[in-house]
Amino acid sequence: MIFPLLSAALLVTGCKSQFEALLASGDVDAKYDAAWKFYNTAKYKKAAQMFESLSMLTSGTEKDDTVRFYWALSNYNYKDYVTADANFGSFIELYPSSPFSSEARFLKIDCMYRSTYRYELDQAPTNAAIMAISEYILDYPTAERVSVCRQMLQDLTKRLNTKEFEAAKLYYKMEDYIASKTAFKNILKDNSNTTYREDVLYYIAMSAYKYAYLSVPAKQKERYMEFVDEYLNFVSEMPDSKYRKELDNLHEKARKFI
């Protein structure tokens, strides 16, 4: 039984050595054929290694844009999005007029999108992705992938909106109603089209009410009047809101006090 096992081990070692030998060789045609063989059989890691090795030999030739594009695409299919992003970026700089250029731009965007973080973490990658997606839509307004790009934009924009909203809501949970009211108003000042507009207006009104309720008696009338202003602003904009009944009850209490 030892001989078949030994033979299998030698065969594996031989195949590995053959790949490494080809990788290190200067035979452009053999490497090109091997790279395509790996790519077409979904061995993307090996394809990426072979295309990368080829890129040093095909630089300046008619094969170069194809080699560089499929090097990046192999990394993308292998799910190495960081490397693919960098490679697509280099490709676009070198070959802006290539037939692969539009596809490379989109795939770079997709890599950036996949590399963003959930809303609690740093949103610098999100902002960079939003800028790149917006530029793509401007440059390729009729492209097939524009609808996908718009969905990405919607998701990333909501993520930024969520981060702002949750940061303001934290003040409310801490019962710092002056700070929460200011923070929620700043959201509307900076982004009037926030996906959380209804919730933001609600928390502005609630912050005003709770601040009035917890105030010393001498200050309550003035502060309940501020709540009434926020209430009227809310109902004029959101007359059918899910928050309407709750705010109507608080408004009635405030009116009785005033």
Side-chain angles (χ1 to χ4, degrees), residues 48-142:
Q49 290 176 286
M50 197 61 70
F51 279 122
E52 179 181 8
S53 178
L54 260 174
S55 70
M56 293 181 282
L57 301 172
T58 59
S59 180
T61 71
E62 61 180 13
K63 289 183 176 179
D64 194 40
D65 67 327
T66 300
V67 167
R68 288 182 180 274
F69 177 76
Y70 278 93
W71 172 19
L73 190 56
S74 297
N75 281 310
Y76 176 86
N77 288 328
Y78 182 61
K79 297 183 173 22
D80 181 357
Y81 298 118
V82 174
T83 305
D85 182 1
N87 287 349
F88 282 127
S90 298
F91 173 84
I92 292 162
E93 286 183 16
L94 286 170
Y95 297 103
S97 301
S98 167
F100 301 120
S101 180
S102 176
E103 182 75 0
R105 285 276 298 274
F106 173 78
L107 291 172
K108 176 174 171 55
I109 285 168
D110 193 46
C111 290
M112 295 175 75
Y113 175 75
R114 291 170 185 271
S115 299
T116 56
Y117 309 129
R118 64 181 189 270
Y119 78 84
E120 300 96 331
L121 302 177
D122 179 29
Q123 293 304 299
T126 300
N127 287 313
I130 286 174
M131 185 176 296
I133 293 167
S134 301
E135 288 175 357
Y136 178 87
I137 292 172
L138 284 173
D139 291 342
Y140 302 99
T142 60

Side-chain angles (χ1 to χ4, degrees), residues 3 17-18 37-38 63 145-146 179 191 210 213 223:
F3 294 109
S17 299
Q18 186 178 7
K37 182 179 178 182
F38 290 134
K63 289 183 176 179
R145 300 275 184 56
V146 164
N191 180 18
K210 292 196 173 186
Y213 179 79
R223 290 171 183 171

Side-chain angles (χ1 to χ4, degrees), residues 7-23:
S7 297
L10 288 172
L11 181 61
V12 170
T13 305
C15 290
K16 183 179 179 182
S17 299
Q18 186 178 7
F19 171 76
E20 291 179 344
L22 184 57
L23 200 63

Side-chain angles (χ1 to χ4, degrees), residues 83-255:
T83 305
D85 182 1
N87 287 349
F88 282 127
S90 298
F91 173 84
I92 292 162
E93 286 183 16
L94 286 170
Y95 297 103
S97 301
S98 167
F100 301 120
S101 180
S102 176
E103 182 75 0
R105 285 276 298 274
F106 173 78
L107 291 172
K108 176 174 171 55
I109 285 168
D110 193 46
C111 290
M112 295 175 75
Y113 175 75
R114 291 170 185 271
S115 299
T116 56
Y117 309 129
R118 64 181 189 270
Y119 78 84
E120 300 96 331
L121 302 177
D122 179 29
Q123 293 304 299
T126 300
N127 287 313
I130 286 174
M131 185 176 296
I133 293 167
S134 301
E135 288 175 357
Y136 178 87
I137 292 172
L138 284 173
D139 291 342
Y140 302 99
T142 60
E144 201 174 311
R145 300 275 184 56
V146 164
S147 60
V148 177
C149 289
R150 294 194 189 282
Q151 289 173 2
M152 289 181 186
L153 269 182
Q154 187 176 2
D155 176 54
L156 295 176
T157 300
K158 185 174 182 181
R159 200 175 306 174
L160 293 180
N161 290 170
T162 301
K163 187 175 182 71
E164 292 175 334
F165 177 73
E166 292 297 333
K169 195 175 175 182
L170 185 60
Y171 289 115
Y172 185 84
K173 289 178 178 178
M174 293 168 60
E175 300 183 359
D176 187 346
Y177 298 118
I178 298 176
S180 71
K181 183 180 176 183
T182 300
F184 283 119
K185 280 184 172 290
N186 283 338
I187 289 176
L188 296 182
K189 182 179 177 182
D190 295 336
N191 180 18
S192 62
N193 295 319
T194 175
T195 51
Y196 291 93
R197 186 173 180 85
E198 180 181 359
D199 302 277
V200 168
L201 290 169
Y202 164 76
Y203 278 107
I204 289 172
M206 288 299 296
S207 296
Y209 180 85
K210 292 196 173 186
Y211 182 54
Y213 179 79
L214 295 172
S215 295
V216 295
K219 295 284 187 180
Q220 280 187 308
K221 182 177 179 180
E222 173 190 345
R223 290 171 183 171
Y224 274 126
M225 289 175 68
E226 290 178 9
F227 160 72
V228 170
D229 287 341
E230 300 299 351
Y231 165 81
L232 292 174
N233 183 48
F234 179 90
V235 297
S236 66
E237 190 168 332
M238 306 287 176
D240 301 317
S241 170
K242 61 186 177 183
Y243 299 121
R244 178 68 188 267
K245 185 176 180 181
E246 180 185 5
L247 290 177
D248 282 350
N249 290 335
L250 296 180
H251 177 243
E252 190 60 30
K253 290 179 181 179
R255 280 187 61 203

